[in-house]
Amino acid sequence: MFSFLDKIEYPLLIIAAVLMLLAPFTPMPHVVEKLIMLKEGTLKKAIDIFDLFYHFVPLALLIIKLIRDYNISKA
């Protein structure tokens, strides 16, 4: 299912994850803003939930790739 991840190199995923987590750089990254909204219970709009999800996708792909590579190397 995630075989497409095998074709993506780690540096590209790392750069994408860092940039998406920090974007936009000013005044506050969206991830920080949305996590604050989540903590306060104000993360209710569909666009805000999608935005949080969108900014975490590269990090999730990086984690999945790490887990897959770790499991393949153990086998």
Side-chain angles (χ1 to χ4, degrees):
M1 180 173 166
F2 290 105
S3 60
F4 70 93
L5 279 177
D6 298 335
K7 299 174 186 168
I8 302 173
E9 299 293 327
Y10 275 106
L12 181 62
L13 273 177
I14 292 168
I15 290 169
V18 168
L19 287 177
M20 286 299 288
L21 287 173
L22 296 176
F25 300 104
T26 57
M28 180 188 313
H30 277 137
V31 171
V32 173
E33 179 183 352
K34 302 306 179 197
L35 288 175
I36 291 170
M37 290 173 68
L38 183 64
K39 181 182 140 218
E40 294 174 349
T42 59
L43 187 71
K44 297 185 185 211
K45 292 184 192 175
I47 190 70
D48 291 332
I49 295 167
F50 173 78
D51 195 33
L52 180 63
F53 172 77
Y54 177 73
H55 282 274
F56 271 116
V57 166
L59 179 63
L61 290 175
L62 178 61
I63 291 168
I64 292 168
K65 182 174 176 73
L66 285 168
I67 291 169
R68 281 177 49 86
D69 287 350
Y70 177 74
N71 288 336
I72 289 172
S73 68
K74 282 187 82 172

